[in-house]
């Protein structure tokens, strides 16, 4: 009898302890989220991160933990780009993108598709086509296939990426050359037909430059006048410690707001390294390989000095103060990556540098800038 009673008591205590540990885990997961960046800004805008293939495939669980606890939106850094998803005509590879979309659905995140029509990271077969019919066939097939497959799962698509040059003229991409200058509106019309519920976005860089911004504004106004659905403009936001100024960023927000669409900052990162364009002038093309290995261009190979860490934190603080000031006009702010170690800015525009553009360092630790953002006064209720 006594032994039985002992067993029962033991079992009871054991279950209690297991339950306590379990409950504690659930609670701590919740409280982590409640202290998170996305929660901090939840009444203002979505807060997102671009995630790479390693994170999507589960080979970098630490990054994934940060993404799930800190952000409420995701963008695939590369996995949905044409060269990876349809490398050969009609041969789609959904291995990574299906997993990407599942992460978004499982964690109830605003899930972005990046990017349908873009001249870069395009499949080789597309670059070699020189006629309208074939181009149109593949453009339709690409958009239909991707948007149908992820209908209801991908909330927003970057329908067209980087269609304009710095002076506001059309970029002479294969799409422009083969389809003519109405191609942007044609693909937006197509996208709206395939998934009328998805947010449709035009995405580009250097929109703080007036001429380029004007080209996009004119395009949006034309779409509106012709009843063509466009929901937002994506401002890439690959910036540095000084450029663009807060004033210039404010102008972007105000100008696009006036057209009646939402603004998103879709690829935010702040480079702390010297910028080769400033050093060599404008006429040099994009090949900066002569700077590879040049210590002047890679001043912090081991760690970021405190004073630069402080500057980075201040820069992020200033930018987010502005975002909060205009949060009624902003839909989403997405960082282009999670931890510094895997940022594309370690290899672009000069290969093999060590950059520090994000909120989490190479050891997955939150940087000073992260805490600065959490200290900003937001509307929390
Ligand atoms: C970058 C990725 O981060 C890199 O990994 C890749 O090698 C090149 O493309 N504008 C865009 C993004 O719209 O898709 C780019 O991403 C960065 C510039």
């Amino acid at each position: 009898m006594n032994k039985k009673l002992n067993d029962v008591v033991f079992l009871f205590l054991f279950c209690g302890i297991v339950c306590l540990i379990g409950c504690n885990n659930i609670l701590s997961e919740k409280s982590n989220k409640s202290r998170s960046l996305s929660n901090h800004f939840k009444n203002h805008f979505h807060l997102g991160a671009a995630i790479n293939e390693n994170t999507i495939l589960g080979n970098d669980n630490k990054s994934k933990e940060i993404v799930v606890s800190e952000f409420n939106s995701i963008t695939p850094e590369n996995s949905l780009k044409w060269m990876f998803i349809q490398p050969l005509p009609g041969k789609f590879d959904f291995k990574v993108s299906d997993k990407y979309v599942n992460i978004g659905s499982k964690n109830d995140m605003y899930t972005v598709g990046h990017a349908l029509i873009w001249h870069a990271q395009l499949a080789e077969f597309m670059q070699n086509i020189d006629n309208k019919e074939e181009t149109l066939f593949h453009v339709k097939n690409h958009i239909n296939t991707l948007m149908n497959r992820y209908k209801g799962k991908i909330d927003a698509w970057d329908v067209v990426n980087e269609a304009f040059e710095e002076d506001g003229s059309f970029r002479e991409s294969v799409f422009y050359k083969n389809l003519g200058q109405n191609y942007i509106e044609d693909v937006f019309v197509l996208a709206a037909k395939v998934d009328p519920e998805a947010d449709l976005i035009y995405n580009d860089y250097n929109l703080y430059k007036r001429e380029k911004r004007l080209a996009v504004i004119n395009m949006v106004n034309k779409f509106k006048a012709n009843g063509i659905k466009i929901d937002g403009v994506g401002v890439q936001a690959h910036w540095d410690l000084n450029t663009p100024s807060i004033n210039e960023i404010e102008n972007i927000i105000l100008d696009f707001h006036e057209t009646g669409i939402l603004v998103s900052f879709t690829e935010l990162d702040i480079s702390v390294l010297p910028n080769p364009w400033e050093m060599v002038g404008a006429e040099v093309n994009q090949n900066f390989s002569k700077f590879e290995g040049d210590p002047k261009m890679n001043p912090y190979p081991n760690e970021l000095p405190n004073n630069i860490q402080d500057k980075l934190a201040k820069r992020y603080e200033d930018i987010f103060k502005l975002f909060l000031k205009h949060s009624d006009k902003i839909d989403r702010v997405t960082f282009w990556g999670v931890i510094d170690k895997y940022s594309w800015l370690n290899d672009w525009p000069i290969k093999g540098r060590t950059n520090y553009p994000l909120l989490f360092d190479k050891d997955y630790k939150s940087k000073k800038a992260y805490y600065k953002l959490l200290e900003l006064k937001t509307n929390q209720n």
Side-chain angles (χ1 to χ4, degrees):
M1 269 302 262
N2 259 350
K3 184 172 180 313
K4 259 198 177 154
L5 194 66
N6 273 347
D7 285 353
V8 171
V9 171
F10 175 76
L11 200 71
F12 191 72
L13 279 175
F14 179 76
C15 290
I17 289 168
V18 169
C19 178
L20 266 178
I21 293 172
C23 292
N24 198 30
N25 274 345
I26 292 167
L27 282 178
S28 64
E29 229 183 88
K30 280 221 167 114
S31 62
N32 274 346
K33 187 84 185 173
S34 72
R35 277 201 321 268
S36 76
L37 280 176
S38 58
N39 210 28
H40 191 64
F41 293 102
K42 74 170 189 284
N43 290 328
H44 299 276
F45 34 73
H46 292 109
L47 203 77
I51 62 177
N52 63 23
E53 192 176 307
N54 266 336
T55 306
I56 296 169
L57 294 180
N59 303 329
D60 178 8
N61 276 324
K62 283 185 169 174
S63 283
K64 189 164 166 196
E65 275 168 28
I66 294 179
V67 171
V68 169
S69 60
E70 297 289 345
F71 298 99
N72 56 18
S73 174
I74 46 174
T75 303
E77 184 174 358
N78 286 301
S79 315
L80 266 168
K81 291 173 181 173
W82 196 316
M83 70 184 285
F84 299 114
I85 203 133
Q86 194 196 169
L88 297 169
K91 297 265 178 273
F92 288 85
D93 181 353
F94 299 117
K95 210 171 55 240
V96 187
S97 56
D98 281 356
K99 292 217 162 73
Y100 163 74
V101 163
N102 282 343
I103 294 175
S105 303
K106 220 167 120 189
N107 294 288
D108 200 17
M109 288 165 145
Y110 185 81
T111 305
V112 180
H114 171 82
L116 290 170
I117 300 298
W118 187 28
H119 69 280
Q121 293 184 285
L122 185 60
E124 214 180 311
F125 78 88
M126 279 302 289
Q127 292 167 25
N128 297 328
I129 298 176
D130 62 1
N131 66 83
K132 183 170 178 173
E133 265 178 323
E134 234 181 305
T135 312
L136 202 57
F137 171 81
H138 288 298
V139 162
K140 281 186 179 165
N141 192 31
H142 195 74
I143 293 180
N144 277 327
T145 307
L146 293 184
M147 289 189 81
N148 270 321
R149 186 175 184 92
Y150 298 127
K151 205 185 269 193
K153 292 181 174 163
I154 284 193
D155 300 291
W157 283 97
D158 290 339
V159 180
V160 175
N161 196 23
E162 303 179 355
F164 294 101
E165 297 285 358
E166 303 306 279
D167 64 359
S169 60
F170 284 105
R171 183 190 290 277
E172 303 239 337
S173 68
V174 70
F175 304 105
Y176 176 81
K177 280 194 263 186
N178 294 346
L179 302 176
Q181 61 176 33
N182 280 342
Y183 86 91
I184 308 182
E185 56 188 79
D186 292 346
V187 297
F188 269 83
V189 169
L190 192 65
K193 266 199 203 126
V194 185
D195 186 356
E197 299 297 316
D199 291 334
L200 304 184
I201 292 171
Y202 175 80
N203 197 53
D204 214 328
Y205 61 88
N206 280 356
L207 292 175
Y208 68 92
K209 294 188 176 165
R210 227 182 108 72
E211 283 182 320
K212 192 165 186 176
R213 182 164 72 247
L214 269 182
V216 180
I217 289 172
N218 289 339
M219 179 192 79
V220 174
N221 286 337
K222 196 171 148 212
F223 278 28
K224 295 265 172 193
N226 296 334
I228 294 167
K229 177 175 153 77
I230 179 165
D231 300 289
V233 64
V235 177
Q236 285 190 10
H238 299 294
W239 297 334
D240 65 28
L241 288 172
N242 306 303
T243 313
S245 69
I246 293 299
N247 251 340
E248 286 173 316
I249 302 172
E250 187 161 38
N251 287 339
I252 303 177
I253 301 171
L254 295 176
D255 283 1
F256 282 121
H257 179 67
E258 230 180 78
T259 67
I261 55 170
L262 282 169
V263 185
S264 291
F265 292 90
T266 52
E267 305 185 14
L268 177 58
D269 48 22
I270 303 290
S271 172
V272 302
L273 299 185
N275 173 349
W277 285 281
E278 273 162 24
M279 297 191 69
V280 296
E283 70 285 338
V284 175
N285 65 27
Q286 299 280 341
N287 187 351
F288 295 116
S289 55
K290 65 175 175 193
F291 289 124
E292 276 168 35
D294 179 347
K296 273 207 296 299
M297 297 307 261
N298 190 25
Y300 322 118
N302 302 318
E303 61 176 336
L304 190 61
N306 275 337
N307 63 324
I308 311 292
Q309 188 80 264
D310 289 348
K311 272 192 189 161
L312 180 71
K314 173 81 169 60
R315 175 77 165 142
Y316 268 121
E317 186 186 1
D318 291 345
I319 290 171
F320 271 75
K321 271 188 186 160
L322 180 77
F323 289 169
L324 285 172
K325 177 177 168 195
H326 292 294
S327 67
D328 58 320
K329 309 169 185 74
I330 298 175
D331 184 46
R332 170 169 55 97
V333 178
T334 290
F335 290 85
W336 202 244
V338 182
I339 69 165
D340 286 340
K341 187 164 64 173
Y342 301 128
S343 164
W344 76 303
L345 293 176
N346 294 313
D347 286 309
W348 188 91
I350 301 168
K351 279 209 179 105
R353 300 199 293 179
T354 308
N355 211 332
Y356 302 82
L358 299 165
L359 299 186
F360 301 90
D361 71 13
K362 64 176 185 350
D363 302 316
Y364 302 85
K365 289 211 187 78
S366 312
K367 291 159 67 179
K368 194 165 177 181
Y370 168 90
Y371 294 106
K372 279 278 171 222
L373 297 192
L374 275 189
E375 279 167 19
L376 287 175
K377 199 172 157 14
T378 56
N379 179 0
Q380 288 276 8
N381 51 46

